[in-house]
Amino acid sequence: MQIDAMLQGAVDTMTVRRVFGEPYERNGVTFIPAAALRGGMGGGAGDTIDTAPAGSGGGFGVTARPVGAYRIVGDDVSWIPAADTTRLALMAEVVAVVALLVVRSLLRRRHR
């Protein structure tokens, strides 16, 4: 795949349609889901060695995570954030490890 084609694929992938989902309505309430996107791209190049092309490469990746949804009722629009339980669990683990290290440090200092 040529670098230009890969770049165009990246541009096509990271559009507003990927950030905001299709609206859906139930009982007069419209929801528009939203996500956060992150992407990265790498490329390569090559030379002509003895009249034969050599080298190439490239790659592209995208991650998405839900961030919330807009709720529309009549003229009232409100934001409902998504609960990222994986991120909350990771933060709790980090806080627990730091707390254990602090307690261990205090206990060692006390014994000296």
Side-chain angles (χ1 to χ4, degrees):
M1 178 180 276
Q2 298 293 327
I3 298 296
D4 292 339
M6 186 171 55
L7 184 58
Q8 186 58 45
V11 169
D12 292 343
T13 299
M14 296 185 73
T15 66
V16 72
R17 290 188 320 262
R18 303 268 188 221
V19 175
F20 294 103
E22 291 295 321
Y24 59 94
E25 190 231 335
R26 287 252 161 85
N27 300 326
V29 180
T30 303
F31 287 94
I32 303 172
L37 293 176
R38 290 185 186 185
M41 187 175 104
D47 285 330
T48 302
I49 301 172
D50 296 332
T51 68
S56 66
F60 177 73
V62 175
T63 61
R65 66 177 182 84
V67 293
Y70 286 101
R71 181 179 69 183
I72 304 169
V73 181
D75 291 335
D76 184 37
V77 178
S78 58
W79 173 253
I80 303 170
D84 190 350
T85 54
T86 302
R87 183 174 283 185
L88 291 174
L90 181 61
M91 290 303 294
E93 290 173 5
V94 168
V95 168
V97 167
V98 169
L100 288 173
L101 291 173
V102 168
V103 168
R104 185 182 79 169
S105 176
L106 291 174
L107 290 175
R108 283 186 176 178
R109 184 174 286 176
R110 182 185 246 183
H111 281 76
R112 290 183 186 174

